[in-house]
Amino acid sequence: MVTRPGQQDYVDILTEVVADQLDPETLRAKALAYRVRRLAHRLETEIKRELAPHDIELWELELLACLRRTEPRHQLTAGQLMTQLQLTSGAVTNRVSRLERSGWVTRELDPDDRRSVLVTLTPAGSERATEVFAVKTQAEQSLLAALSPTAQSRLNDDLRTVLLALEGPA
């Protein structure tokens, strides 16, 4: 891998150590995987830091946003939340319980399928999410500002291609 002098990042240092042991294709994939993980970690850490003064956790905002996107009723089953948030059944139950205690969601049995639980965003939950969406959005924009809009679009398209290959279409 070729980098300009003074343009090495932490991943370049890591991959230099194993460069002579791996073929270029494997080394390229390893470097990309490291960078994606490091970026995801940095994004999550910084967004959590920005949300902390607003007394809301990132997972809370993500669950509220998930419900808010479901027009018009702002309601999903626990199973749909599991899929969309990539969580286990126990994690969804725990998180919904905590948000229910805050008055941000309600939970009831689905009248059409009594084995299923419906989780609904309350007006208070919607209001709370609206109050802090801008904080998360600003943090995301600031963290990715090193990339031009064109580069962001290209990276977005490339990552979509990978996710479609791994997860299939939505």
Side-chain angles (χ1 to χ4, degrees):
M1 301 187 98
V2 179
T3 57
R4 295 186 304 253
Q7 295 294 311
Q8 283 191 317
D9 66 2
Y10 183 75
V11 174
D12 290 322
I13 306 302
L14 290 175
T15 55
E16 278 180 4
V17 173
V18 295
D20 61 341
Q21 301 164 25
L22 300 171
D23 61 86
E25 185 177 311
T26 302
L27 189 62
R28 188 172 39 254
K30 185 172 284 301
L32 179 58
Y34 279 147
R35 284 190 176 94
V36 168
R37 284 195 311 271
R38 288 179 66 82
L39 178 59
H41 177 74
R42 289 294 301 268
L43 279 166
E44 186 166 332
T45 300
E46 290 300 314
I47 291 168
K48 285 178 178 180
R49 187 180 62 74
E50 292 294 327
L51 291 175
H54 300 275
D55 200 29
I56 192 166
E57 296 286 334
L58 179 56
W59 69 263
E60 291 172 316
L61 185 58
E62 287 175 344
L63 198 149
L64 296 175
C66 198
L67 291 169
R68 193 143 184 261
R69 286 189 295 266
T70 58
E71 296 288 342
R73 299 182 68 203
H74 306 294
Q75 183 179 74
L76 291 170
T77 66
Q80 290 169 318
L81 284 170
M82 279 177 43
T83 301
Q84 290 188 26
L85 296 171
Q86 296 183 311
L87 297 170
T88 64
S89 172
V92 167
T93 299
N94 182 23
R95 290 177 182 199
V96 167
S97 294
R98 289 179 61 186
L99 293 181
E100 191 175 34
R101 284 192 296 272
S102 297
W104 296 345
V105 301
T106 60
R107 160 174 53 177
E108 61 188 304
L109 290 177
D110 184 341
D112 298 327
D113 180 0
R114 309 277 303 156
R115 297 168 296 166
S116 191
V117 173
L118 293 173
V119 180
T120 306
L121 184 66
T122 65
S126 181
E127 184 178 315
R128 185 66 180 121
T130 300
E131 291 171 0
V132 291
F133 277 151
V135 173
K136 180 177 178 281
T137 300
Q138 180 58 47
E140 291 163 343
Q141 289 175 327
S142 294
L143 290 163
L144 297 172
L147 293 173
S148 70
T150 301
Q152 287 184 32
S153 292
R154 185 175 54 247
L155 182 57
N156 213 351
D157 291 343
D158 291 344
L159 292 174
R160 180 185 305 104
T161 299
V162 174
L163 289 172
L164 284 168
L166 295 172
E167 300 174 348

